[in-house]
């Protein structure tokens, strides 16, 4: 295979009947090249009237920036579904469509004759997607809900904000975005399964359930320890325990011109984060106070274990480091982080994002009709996603409603249904959060996923609470288990020749390779895409990291805490009279996997299409 391919979902037609709760699903599928026909009421979809608006165009359906973002890439058709004649025209479109997305109250579509049971008879290959607050069934299925109440019902709001005040949501509604991305991923997974069975199916997406991944390790505490994570949930008024026992440092620092995140600790790269700030302070202001032991602060846990420094002295050193940071500016701190491995990054504003050199180098921003949009964050080596279509004007594709029906999707000989990814082999070199969650989505759908870890550098999640029976060992972390269930595992010493040889055999065995190292690391092991794909044009490889594989800052490694700050989410979450509180935990670790899983599902869809030819 060579040359640039069409967008992955080219030729797929999506009928988008969703309201605000489901707009993100159609948007994501449009980015992948699907023809998304937005069926709107005559006055326009609710998203057209959603703030924020262009200044001076408040209430103008063509002035909504929300619609500009969520309607992008779609085509608009108006229809009054309350009128039978117009409903029949919409059904005519559905008869040859591949996907239908709806987000109405359960039972509404049945009343219109547009429920899955009715449409399956019309189009057996239809993938029918329902997005609702609590799912199609259960005691809360018909309960009224808003984005805020859904976020509260999943538990995330109880984990956020300052402990001495009421809990807070993220500053922009999140539930519809998470649910929309879950729906988009599952839609492409269902299209992959349809390629084998020839049949569509009904996807029942619960917004509450989609949001639950954002709970991170807090999800496991009630089951494993019989309580909420200390300092959060029902125990939010209690002191929040430090990430490293005994180390008293805040998660955010006020500096000369704003705020930066702070991740100093005693595990993995967080150890060096404290030492590097102290080293910088010594360069600028001279030696640390004479009464503090002269140690390598990059290795302070070892010095403490050996009795060369006390925890009280470590905390004194940390306070000196924090006081030094407070005198510096955000960008100065970030430049030092980039060059010396600090885990302090700026809490970015939108204006700063528009001028960010990393995003500029990756050509994220694109101008369409005078507005600035972000391109899709997924970059595919042989495929360009769709990024040049603005949100449609109301009814711009109206002629399609009266056009002759298009040919239906190619018929596939029906075969017994199995798991969507059954038979697919995955070598999983990812660690911590994002990569393992992505590969877990493959395992949960039937792929054989082998997680390959290095024995010399255990995954930091293996050392994170909660622990089975509250007993710590490398196999007792529920946090680790939650992100890696359904997988098999192999431990290798990747620094040895034998370990690398076995890793290469695993990569050659696999249909899909997933990795989340700092850019360049996997290639240094002889496992880069260019090497692995020689004579293997169908190999799919996904690389995920904080900043992407390209750009001047690509080698900066960090966690989702830094990701939430660098993308602007941290700065919009908190009280106006206080510094930002930010979302709970490594928040972007629960956004990025949706896009990674979507990328893999789309790549598999293209591979199936090639084999069919």
């Amino acid at each position: 295979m060579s040359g640039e391919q069409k967008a992955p979902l080219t030729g797929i037609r999506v009928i988008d009947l969703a309201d605000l709760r489901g707009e993100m699903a159609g948007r994501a599928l449009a980015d992948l090249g699907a023809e998304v026909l937005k069926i709107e009421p005559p006055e326009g979809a609710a998203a057209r009237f959603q703030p924020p608006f262009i200044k001076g165009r408040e209430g103008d359906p063509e002035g909504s920036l929300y619609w500009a973002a969520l309607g992008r890439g779609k085509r608009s058709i108006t229809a009054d579904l309350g009128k039978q004649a117009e409903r029949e025209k919409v059904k005519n479109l559905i008869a040859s469509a591949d996907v239908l997305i709806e987000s109405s109250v359960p039972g509404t579509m049945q009343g219109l004759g547009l429920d899955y049971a009715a449409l399956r008879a019309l189009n057996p290959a239809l993938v029918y997607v329902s997005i609702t607050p609590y799912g199609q069934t259960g005691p809360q299925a018909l309960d009224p809900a808003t984005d805020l109440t859904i976020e509260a019902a999943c538990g995330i709001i109880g984990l956020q904000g300052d402990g001495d005040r009421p809990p807070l949501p993220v500053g922009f509604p999140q539930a519809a975005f998470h649910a929309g991305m879950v729906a988009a991923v599952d839609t492409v997974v269902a299209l992959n399964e349809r390629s084998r069975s020839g049949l569509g199916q009904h996807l029942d997406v619960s917004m509450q359930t989609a949001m639950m991944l954002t709970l991170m390790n807090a999800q496991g505490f009630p089951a494993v320890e019989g309580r909420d994570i200390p300092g959060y949930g029902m125990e939010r008024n209690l002191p929040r325990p430090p990430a490293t026992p005994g180390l008293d440092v805040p998660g955010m620092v006020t500096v000369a011109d704003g705020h930066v995140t702070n991740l100093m600790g005693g595990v993995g790269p967080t150890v060096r984060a404290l030492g590097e700030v102290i080293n910088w302070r010594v360069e600028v202001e001279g030696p640390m106070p004479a009464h503090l032991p002269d140690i390598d602060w990059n290795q302070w846990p070892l010095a403490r274990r050996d009795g060369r420094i006390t925890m009280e002295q470590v905390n004194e050193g940390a306070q000196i480091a924090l006081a030094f940071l407070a005198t510096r500016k955000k960008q100065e701190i970030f430049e030092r982080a980039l060059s010396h491995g600090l885990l302090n990054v700026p809490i970015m504003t939108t204006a700063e994002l528009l001028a960010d050199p990393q995003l500029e180098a990756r050509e994220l921003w694109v101008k369409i009709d005078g507005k600035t949009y972000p391109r899709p964050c997924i970059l595919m080596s042989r495929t360009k996603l769709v990024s040049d279509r603005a949100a449609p004007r109301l009814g711009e594709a109206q002629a399609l409603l009266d056009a002759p029906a298009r040919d239906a999707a190619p018929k596939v000989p029906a075969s017994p249904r199995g798991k969507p990814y059954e038979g697919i082999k995955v070598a999983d070199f990812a660690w911590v959060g994002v990569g393992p969650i992505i590969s877990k989505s493959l395992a949960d759908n039937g792929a054989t996923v082998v997680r390959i870890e290095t024995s010399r550098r255990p995954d930091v999640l293996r050392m994170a609470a909660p622990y089975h029976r509250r007993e710590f060992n490398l196999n007792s972390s529920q946090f680790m288990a939650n992100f890696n269930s359904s997988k098999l595992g192999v431990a290798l010493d990747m620094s040895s020749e034998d370990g690398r040889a076995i890793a290469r055999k695993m990569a050659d065995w696999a249909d899909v390779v997933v990795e989340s190292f700092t850019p360049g690391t996997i290639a240094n092991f002889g496992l880069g895409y260019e090497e692995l794909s020689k004579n293997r044009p169908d190999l799919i490889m996904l690389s995920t990291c904080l900043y992407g594989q390209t750009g001047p800052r690509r080698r900066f490694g960090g966690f989702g805490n830094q990701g939430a700050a660098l993308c602007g989410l941290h700065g919009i979450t908190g009280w106006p009279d206080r510094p930002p509180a930010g979302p709970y935990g490594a928040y972007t670790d629960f956004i990025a996997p949706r896009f990674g899983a979507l990328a893999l599902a789309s790549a598999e869809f293209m591979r199936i299409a090639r084999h069919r030819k």
Side-chain angles (χ1 to χ4, degrees), residues 389-442:
R389 293 186 297 180
R393 292 190 173 275
L394 186 64
E396 56 85 23
Q398 198 66 25
L400 289 175
L401 193 61
D402 296 304
R406 71 165 195 163
D407 292 337
K411 299 298 181 185
V412 177
S415 61
R417 296 198 105 139
K419 293 182 178 180
Y421 292 143
E422 194 168 356
I424 294 177
K425 304 182 293 293
V426 182
D428 177 12
F429 291 92
W431 74 316
V432 193
V434 175
I437 294 172
I438 293 170
S439 55
K440 174 178 161 58
S441 73
L442 302 178

Side-chain angles (χ1 to χ4, degrees), residues 162-392:
D162 301 324
D164 61 338
R165 287 189 177 180
L168 288 171
V170 173
F172 199 89
Q174 298 288 294
F177 294 155
H178 283 277
M181 286 305 300
V182 168
V185 173
D186 289 349
T187 294
V188 183
V189 172
L191 289 172
N192 287 339
E193 194 282 332
R194 188 185 73 169
S195 298
R196 298 182 180 184
S197 71
L199 299 172
Q201 57 185 300
H202 186 194
L203 306 182
D204 176 5
V205 179
S206 159
M207 298 172 74
Q208 179 193 30
T209 303
M211 283 291 295
M212 286 181 63
L213 185 61
T214 64
L215 300 182
M216 208 166 78
N217 61 331
Q219 186 181 114
F221 269 85
V224 176
E225 294 198 1
R227 60 173 184 169
D228 278 329
I229 185 171
Y232 298 88
M234 296 299 291
E235 300 186 17
R236 65 180 288 110
N237 292 325
L238 299 178
R240 294 180 179 178
T244 300
L247 184 62
D248 184 18
V249 293
M252 186 275 298
V253 181
T254 301
V255 297
D257 61 345
H259 306 91
V260 299
T261 62
N262 183 51
L263 199 60
M264 299 174 179
V267 177
T270 67
V271 175
R272 186 165 174 255
L274 171 57
E276 287 299 337
V277 176
I278 289 178
N279 292 342
W280 186 18
R281 185 263 180 201
V282 169
E283 286 179 25
V284 174
E285 297 184 355
M288 294 286 278
H291 66 274
L292 290 178
D294 183 14
I295 65 166
D296 178 358
W297 284 89
N298 284 344
Q299 300 292 332
W300 69 261
L302 294 179
R304 180 171 177 262
R305 185 192 66 186
D306 296 342
R308 290 180 285 123
I309 193 170
T310 67
M311 201 66 224
E312 291 75 14
Q313 291 170 323
V314 171
N315 274 309
E316 184 178 351
Q319 295 309 310
I320 292 170
L322 293 172
F324 171 74
L325 280 181
T327 68
R328 321 315 291 183
K329 291 186 176 181
K330 289 195 300 184
Q331 203 55 42
E332 182 186 10
I333 293 170
F334 196 24
E335 291 301 325
R336 184 76 180 193
L338 293 169
S339 61
H340 286 74
L342 278 65
L343 290 179
N344 306 96
V345 302
I347 294 176
M348 302 281 274
T349 65
T350 303
E352 289 169 336
L353 288 171
L354 290 171
D356 183 85
Q358 175 69 11
L359 301 182
E360 181 180 353
R362 287 175 65 81
E363 300 181 338
L364 179 72
W365 305 115
V366 59
K367 285 271 190 183
I368 307 174
D369 296 340
K371 298 186 183 77
T372 300
Y373 295 84
R375 286 189 169 94
C377 65
I378 303 167
L379 297 183
M380 293 185 168
S381 62
R382 298 177 180 176
T383 305
K384 280 193 175 180
L385 303 190
V386 177
S387 61
D388 59 353
R389 293 186 297 180

Side-chain angles (χ1 to χ4, degrees), residues 492 494 496-506 508 525:
L492 300 176
M494 295 286 284
S496 72
E497 186 175 339
D498 287 345
R500 291 191 297 273
I502 295 171
R504 177 58 191 258
K505 286 182 180 179
M506 295 298 303
D508 289 340
F525 288 130

Side-chain angles (χ1 to χ4, degrees), residues 84-206:
Q84 184 174 351
E86 296 193 32
R87 203 160 58 240
E88 290 302 317
K89 291 181 179 180
V90 171
K91 287 179 73 172
N92 184 54
L93 287 174
I94 295 170
S96 60
D98 301 283
V99 178
L100 182 145
I101 305 169
E102 64 91 14
S103 56
S104 57
V105 174
T108 302
M109 300 301 282
Q110 184 177 14
L112 295 170
L114 297 174
D115 57 302
Y116 177 62
L119 297 179
R120 178 177 56 185
L122 179 68
N123 181 357
L126 183 69
V127 175
Y128 189 107
V129 186
S130 296
I131 303 171
T132 54
Y134 302 109
Q136 296 290 304
T137 59
Q140 292 181 275
L142 299 177
D143 284 4
T146 66
D147 204 292
L148 181 65
T149 62
I150 295 164
E151 291 179 42
C154 92
I156 183 64
I157 291 181
L159 303 174
Q160 292 177 160
D162 301 324
D164 61 338
R165 287 189 177 180
L168 288 171
V170 173
F172 199 89
Q174 298 288 294
F177 294 155
H178 283 277
M181 286 305 300
V182 168
V185 173
D186 289 349
T187 294
V188 183
V189 172
L191 289 172
N192 287 339
E193 194 282 332
R194 188 185 73 169
S195 298
R196 298 182 180 184
S197 71
L199 299 172
Q201 57 185 300
H202 186 194
L203 306 182
D204 176 5
V205 179
S206 159

